[in-house]
């Protein structure tokens, strides 16, 4: 029998950039089945029984960490949560030494969140027999976020091809936007980015996107409006003059949503800065906002990723 | 020391010489370059080899004193002779920095004791490399410094730079400028462009270098002093130097082998051996550097040999220190990417490795004329070399490991003495 894992080329999920459209579709299709599992009275399947997954979170996270942990538990894996605070990282232990020590305890997979781009790749190159899953590396990639966004769009609109997606906000420091651009352009959706030029990274048009500097221009004709969090912790004082001015020029308000296409979806990867990039009456409006659907779907998508990669370690028990 | 080198292809760009000749070194000095020299001294048969003036590196970090875990004067100069260098200019950013005579004398004494080639110290421009007040420039010069630089960082204060240029013009000593505006860098770790965007890494814009190059050629013009631009890496910087030179400004410059050979697309591997400052730039910048080499704007190739310990580089890209080693691979890398790639011919490469550096810093050597230092490099430009994992340098932070290149250093001769090879 052809195992499911053989359909993903790599042992790791480091970024959407490295996936083919077929692999993306496979993950999304697999996630549909797992979404159903989460709606059962007994929300558990034995797919990864006996496998150890370490969640190595070197940077703060609510949604992603919890979502991975729930996904792992629903697949019957043994899980271990490692947080940098309270660990020997605080004594100066390096990432490689930390990882080497964790690997000595024979995990099957490591889910890593780290503030430095390329950290998951560094581990993936080093540990040949362990699947590394990128749960966000600096401003580089956040592949499971893009997958759950795509799952949500596909669930609501029935397709990805030809869908007009406008992504608005802190493009420069966002890993979510990079993974989304890779995914959406591979699946032939149309991507528009909007931000002040100070939050737009160099030569991003080369990624196959349209760049505008007006919120109204970005939402005109959009099927999906994806708002990005202003990463207050990463900003100097030079990207824009004030939060007030940012909200006035790029904040998504009810008036602005009214001017968008009927049936437009509003998304946000969280955590939200209410009243900075998005108004509460938009974020909380069930007619347009799918923000909590994204969170629900995140579990199913992560189950699919873990399942497809975990098959490599299952030893034919499936 | 005496040595006769026979039947080699003698290339000496300082006198437009390219012919099959013998070369005789007596008492450490070149005494004759001629056909069929008869002598009873030790002989090297250089048939099929190129005989060039010994290479001179304008930009070497020997790390001693203070950072001997990275490199020492002994290991750094051993690496130098392995790369065909007979002299290196040792940068001032040691611990403590070379900002006073005692440090200069220590470097020279250690080089005399344990060095494999000549070492020309470069002094600091400012006390403690702090960019606040001038170091004792005349005293450094008298102690043996051949140039001054706060390399590793720029001289931000334009007035201090102006005064350094003026003062050094009295000493006939160049000021080496490391051009980088850290405000524009915003903590950048690689070139700002498409690839920094793709990889989500903070960028160092070309403008960071170009704004300071522009300032310093203006200050060189104002003071009629000699400014030497270190490790120039952008199209705008090449252009600024070219135009200033046409205006008669005393500006010279160097480029590194890695900026000749590599571009920022390579960083997709996230290898910390591709992290250096200035960073690897985009293809348009690399092409502009090649044009500057071909049209003579670039005076010298300098390695910016920057050894770091394995542990220091074995971390996340953001956390790794800037810099790579270069002494042992410089010739082969440049031969591959300049001569074999048909950008220039071999004599021009040899000029940028020997005569050019000697002229720029007014150093002895860089020529095979009778009476010159007996510093000679023997090269087999067609021989394949595979870049090893371990080097004569203490460090191994090279992006060229595993590459097969052409151009082997067969022997390095300092004052008539074979220091490397045969």
């Amino acid at each position: 029998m052809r195992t499911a894992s053989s359909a993903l080329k790599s042992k790791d999920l480091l970024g959407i950039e490295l996936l083919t459209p077929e692999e993306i579709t496979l993950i999304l299709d697999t996630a549909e089945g797992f979404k159903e599992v989460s709606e059962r009275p007994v929300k558990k399947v034995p797919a990864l029984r006996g496998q150890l997954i370490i969640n190595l979170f070197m940077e703060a996270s609510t949604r992603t960490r919890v979502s991975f942990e729930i996904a792992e538990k629903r697949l019957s894996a043994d899980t271990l949560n490692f947080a940098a605070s309270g660990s020997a990282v605080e004594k100066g232990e390096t990432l490689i030494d930390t990882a080497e020590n964790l690997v000595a305890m024979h995990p099957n997979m490591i889910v890593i969140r780290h503030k430095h781009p390329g950290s998951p790749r560094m581990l993936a190159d080093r540990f040949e027999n362990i699947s590394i899953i990128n749960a966000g590396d600096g401003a580089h990639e956040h592949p499971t976020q893009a997958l759950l966004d795509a799952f949500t769009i596909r669930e609501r609109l029935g397709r990805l091809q030809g869908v007009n997606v406008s992504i608005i906000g802190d493009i420069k420091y966002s890993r979510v936007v990079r993974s989304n651009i890779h995914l959406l352009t591979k699946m032939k959706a149309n991507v528009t980015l909007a931000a002040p030029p100070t939050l737009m990274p160099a030569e991003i048009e080369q990624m196959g996107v349209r760049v505008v500097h007006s919120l109204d221009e970005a939402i005109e004709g959009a099927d999906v409006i994806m708002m990005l969090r202003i990463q207050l912790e990463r900003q100097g004082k030079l990207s824009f003059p004030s939060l007030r001015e940012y909200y006035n020029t790029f904040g998504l308000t009810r008036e602005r949503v009214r001017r968008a296409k009927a049936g437009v979806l509003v998304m946000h990867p969280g955590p939200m800065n209410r009243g900075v990039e998005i108004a509460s009456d938009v974020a909380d409006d069930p007619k347009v906002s799918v923000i909590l659907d994204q969170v629900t779907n995140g579990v199913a998508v992560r189950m699919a990723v873990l399942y497809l990669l975990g098959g490599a370690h299952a030893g034919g028990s499936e | 020391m005496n040595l006769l080198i026979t039947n080699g292809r003698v290339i000496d760009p300082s006198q437009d010489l390219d012919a099959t000749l013998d070369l005789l070194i007596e008492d450490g000095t070149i005494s004759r370059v001629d056909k069929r020299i008869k002598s009873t001294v030790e002989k090297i048969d250089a048939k099929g080899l190129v005989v060039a003036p010994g290479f001179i590196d304008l930009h070497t970090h020997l790390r001693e004193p203070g950072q001997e875990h990275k490199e020492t004067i002994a290991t750094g100069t051993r690496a130098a002779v392995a790369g065909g260098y007979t002299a290196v200019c040792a940068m001032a950013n040691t611990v403590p920095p070379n900002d006073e005579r005692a440090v200069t004398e220590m470097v020279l004494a250690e080089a005399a004791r344990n060095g494999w080639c000549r070492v020309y110290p470069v002094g600091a421009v400012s006390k403690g490399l702090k960019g606040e007040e001038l170091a004792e420039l005349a005293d450094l010069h008298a102690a043996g410094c051949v140039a001054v630089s706060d390399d590793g960082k720029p001289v931000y204060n334009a007035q201090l730079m102006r005064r350094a240029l003026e003062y050094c013009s009295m000493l006939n000593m160049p000021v080496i400028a490391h051009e980088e505006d850290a405000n524009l860098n915003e903590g950048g770790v690689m070139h700002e462009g498409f690839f920094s965007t793709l990889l989500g890494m903070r960028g160092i814009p070309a403008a960071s270098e170009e704004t300071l190059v522009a300032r310093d050629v203006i200050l060189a013009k104002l003071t009629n002093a000699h400014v030497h631009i270190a490790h120039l890496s952008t199209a705008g910087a090449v252009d600024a130097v070219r135009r200033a030179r046409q205006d008669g400004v005393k500006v010279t410059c160097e480029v590194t082998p890695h900026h000749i050979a590599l571009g920022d697309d390579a960083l997709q591997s996230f290898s910390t051996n591709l992290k250096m400052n200035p960073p690897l730039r985009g293809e348009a910048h690399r092409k502009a550097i090649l044009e500057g080499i071909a049209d003579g704007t670039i005076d010298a190739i300098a390695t910016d040999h920057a050894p770091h310990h394995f542990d220091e580089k074995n971390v996340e890209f953001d956390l790794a220190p800037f810099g790579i080693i270069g002494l042992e691979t410089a010739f082969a890398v440049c031969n591959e990417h300049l001569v074999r790639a048909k950008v220039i011919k071999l004599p021009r490469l040899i000029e940028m490795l020997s005569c050019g550096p000697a002229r720029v810093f007014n150093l002895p050597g860089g020529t095979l004329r009778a009476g010159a230092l007996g510093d000679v490099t023997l090269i087999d430009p067609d021989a394949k070399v595979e870049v090893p994992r371990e080097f004569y340098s203490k460090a191994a932070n090279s992006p060229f490991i595993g590459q097969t290149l052409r151009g082997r250093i067969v022997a390095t001769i300092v004052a008539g003495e074979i220091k490397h090879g045969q």
Side-chain angles (χ1 to χ4, degrees):
Chain A
M1 195 192 94
R2 194 177 131 89
T3 60
S5 66
S6 66
L8 289 184
K9 281 195 310 283
S10 170
K11 71 176 174 71
D12 311 299
L13 178 65
L14 301 180
I16 302 292
E17 189 187 3
L18 306 168
L19 296 179
T20 64
E22 294 71 32
E23 289 177 311
I24 291 165
T25 301
L26 173 73
I27 294 169
L28 298 181
D29 289 350
T30 307
E32 278 182 12
F34 282 122
K35 183 157 185 186
E36 185 264 324
V37 170
S38 295
E39 288 157 2
R40 290 180 198 166
V42 178
K43 302 174 173 58
K44 209 168 173 93
V45 292
L48 299 184
R49 201 169 49 200
Q51 294 204 27
L52 173 60
I53 303 176
I54 295 178
N55 300 314
L56 178 56
F57 277 66
M58 310 291 275
E59 195 187 53
S61 167
T62 301
R63 261 156 302 277
T64 306
R65 188 176 55 73
V66 169
S67 179
F68 264 109
E69 192 179 347
I70 292 172
E72 290 153 7
K73 294 204 152 106
R74 288 189 179 162
L75 292 170
S76 307
D78 297 323
T79 67
L80 184 135
N81 293 323
F82 180 97
S85 65
S87 78
V89 171
E90 292 184 335
K91 300 177 188 170
E93 190 163 31
T94 64
L95 174 63
I96 283 182
D97 279 339
T98 302
E100 286 281 6
N101 280 276
L102 295 173
V103 166
M105 297 181 238
H106 298 300
N108 299 89
M109 297 193 240
I110 294 177
V111 178
I112 177 175
R113 155 74 59 97
H114 200 301
K115 70 177 175 183
H116 297 304
S119 310
R121 164 80 182 265
M122 195 163 94
L123 301 191
D125 288 349
R126 196 174 183 89
F127 304 114
E128 285 174 15
N129 300 316
I130 293 171
S131 292
I132 305 295
I133 297 169
N134 182 1
D137 61 332
H140 178 223
E141 282 233 40
H142 190 354
T144 56
Q145 178 69 44
L147 287 162
L148 73 88
D149 291 342
F151 185 93
T152 306
I153 295 170
R154 205 175 75 154
E155 187 178 52
R156 288 294 182 126
L157 303 180
R159 68 200 157 90
L160 291 169
Q161 185 169 355
V163 171
N164 297 317
V165 181
S166 291
I167 309 177
I168 296 150
D170 188 351
I171 309 290
K172 192 171 187 176
Y173 300 106
S174 172
R175 52 189 166 227
V176 174
V177 77
R178 285 166 177 79
S179 287
N180 262 298
I181 292 171
H182 286 305
L183 190 148
L184 293 166
T185 55
K186 279 174 200 275
M187 302 312 281
K188 303 201 163 27
N190 307 310
V191 181
T192 297
L193 306 179
T198 46
L199 289 178
M200 199 63 84
E203 299 177 37
I204 196 160
E205 298 87 346
Q206 281 189 49
M207 291 183 80
V209 298
R210 181 172 75 113
V211 171
V212 300
H213 300 298
S214 144
L215 181 68
D216 288 331
E217 207 179 328
I219 64 181
E220 192 185 334
D223 300 303
V224 176
I225 301 171
M226 193 182 287
M227 301 306 294
L228 297 175
R229 185 171 70 92
I230 289 296
Q231 305 205 31
L232 301 166
E233 73 277 18
R234 287 182 213 259
Q235 304 294 342
K237 288 200 163 66
L238 299 174
S239 294
F240 49 85
S242 68
L243 294 177
R244 175 176 168 276
E245 179 155 313
Y246 185 83
Y247 182 66
N248 288 339
T249 47
F250 285 93
L252 189 65
T253 60
R254 178 165 276 188
E255 292 68 43
R256 283 170 163 152
V257 173
R258 266 194 211 114
R259 276 178 257 155
K261 212 164 150 177
V264 69
L265 303 180
V266 172
M267 304 177 76
H268 194 301
M272 287 186 279
N273 296 307
R274 291 169 180 267
V276 177
E277 70 266 358
I278 191 163
S280 282
D281 55 8
V282 175
D284 300 337
D285 180 356
K287 287 194 288 299
V288 294
S289 169
V290 294
I291 293 169
L292 293 175
D293 293 7
Q294 290 172 268
V295 177
T296 303
N297 292 335
V299 174
V301 161
R302 291 180 175 114
M303 286 172 79
V305 167
L306 293 164
Y307 171 77
L308 290 169
L309 294 175
H313 309 287
S317 66
E318 271 299 282
Chain B
M1 298 294 290
N2 304 325
L3 193 65
L4 177 63
I5 302 164
T6 60
N7 293 314
R9 176 183 167 195
V10 176
I11 299 180
D12 180 7
S14 76
Q15 46 182 325
D16 263 329
L17 184 64
D18 184 352
T20 302
L21 293 167
D22 295 350
L23 183 147
L24 180 64
I25 302 170
E26 290 180 301
D27 297 327
T29 302
I30 294 170
S31 60
R32 279 177 72 196
V33 182
D34 210 338
K35 285 182 182 158
R36 284 183 288 278
I37 298 174
K38 294 271 184 293
S39 173
T40 55
V41 304
E42 185 188 348
K43 283 190 186 61
I44 295 182
D45 181 5
K47 192 169 161 47
L49 303 179
V50 167
V51 179
F55 301 163
I56 299 169
D57 190 23
L58 295 181
H59 201 127
T60 311
H61 295 276
L62 292 176
R63 305 298 191 204
E64 189 175 359
Q67 296 180 303
E68 293 85 356
H69 66 292
K70 297 177 195 256
E71 193 82 284
T72 62
I73 289 169
T75 59
T77 53
R78 180 66 188 87
V81 293
Y85 288 92
T86 54
V88 296
C89 297
M91 282 293 152
N93 61 341
T94 48
V95 184
N98 184 12
D99 63 351
E100 56 178 318
R101 173 185 280 269
V103 179
T104 308
E105 286 176 349
M106 177 266 152
V107 169
L108 286 170
E110 177 58 17
R113 258 194 316 271
N114 291 314
W116 292 71
C117 67
R118 300 176 202 276
V119 174
Y120 299 119
V122 172
V125 171
S126 64
K127 283 182 187 149
L129 305 173
K130 288 195 178 116
E132 289 164 5
E133 48 185 325
L134 292 175
E136 291 181 337
L137 302 176
D139 202 35
L140 287 168
H141 180 65
C145 288
V146 297
V148 288
S149 178
D150 278 357
D151 185 66
K153 46 189 174 178
V155 176
Y156 281 117
N157 183 329
Q159 178 70 338
L160 185 74
M161 189 63 173
R162 175 196 173 156
R163 295 304 182 212
L165 283 164
E166 284 175 333
Y167 200 82
C168 286
S169 68
M170 164 181 86
L171 305 166
N172 197 22
M173 180 166 74
V175 176
I176 308 169
H178 168 115
E179 307 293 39
E180 167 193 16
D181 184 336
N183 286 321
L184 282 170
N185 291 358
E186 237 191 339
V189 294
M190 66 177 285
H191 175 59
E192 180 183 299
F194 173 68
F195 288 101
S196 64
T197 292
L198 186 71
L199 301 175
M201 296 211 267
R202 291 193 179 223
I204 299 174
S208 161
E209 175 169 326
E210 290 163 356
T211 50
L212 279 190
V213 171
R215 182 198 76 174
D216 286 341
V217 296
I218 290 166
L219 292 177
K221 185 173 184 178
L222 172 71
T223 56
N224 195 29
H226 177 188
V227 67
H228 176 77
I229 312 291
H231 43 53
L232 173 150
S233 74
T234 78
V238 176
D239 203 42
V241 169
R242 185 184 288 124
R243 279 185 286 118
R245 199 93 65 102
Q246 282 161 1
D247 283 356
V249 179
K250 287 189 216 161
V251 53
T252 55
C253 66
E254 67 191 33
V255 298
T256 71
H258 45 275
H259 288 105
I260 290 168
L262 299 169
D264 61 346
D265 57 322
L267 276 93
Q268 291 177 88
S269 70
F270 289 101
S271 165
T272 56
N273 285 344
L274 293 162
K275 182 174 177 182
M276 71 289 284
N277 191 14
L280 297 176
R281 302 285 186 184
E283 189 58 14
H285 292 292
R286 199 181 73 89
K287 286 215 170 97
I289 284 171
L290 299 186
E291 278 167 30
I293 285 170
D295 74 10
T297 304
I298 313 289
D299 297 279
I301 287 168
T303 64
D304 196 6
H305 179 83
H308 291 293
H309 192 274
F310 171 81
D311 293 339
E312 294 167 320
K313 281 285 197 180
N314 192 30
V315 293
E316 297 89 314
F317 193 92
D318 278 346
L319 304 180
F322 291 99
I324 61 167
I325 57 170
L327 286 167
E328 294 171 63
T329 51
F331 180 79
V333 168
C334 295
N335 188 45
E336 197 68 54
H337 291 274
L338 293 176
V339 180
R340 289 172 54 81
K342 299 200 186 311
V343 177
I344 52 167
K345 295 216 179 342
L346 184 59
R348 169 71 176 134
L349 173 58
I350 288 170
E351 182 189 20
M352 287 189 295
L353 290 166
S354 58
C355 327
R359 187 187 67 241
V360 166
F361 283 7
N362 197 23
L363 302 173
T367 177
L368 299 176
R369 284 178 201 277
L373 299 178
D375 293 2
V376 179
T377 300
L378 301 190
I379 310 157
D380 183 344
D382 299 317
K384 282 186 185 166
V385 283
E386 189 178 332
V387 181
R389 306 203 136 268
E390 287 185 20
F391 296 84
Y392 288 101
S393 167
K394 255 192 189 186
N397 49 318
S398 165
F400 300 108
I401 289 170
Q403 288 193 18
T404 301
L405 303 165
R406 290 203 194 231
R408 193 163 70 85
I409 303 303
V410 177
T412 305
I413 296 149
V414 181
E417 204 177 321
I418 301 170
K419 293 291 190 178
H420 174 80
Q422 288 200 330

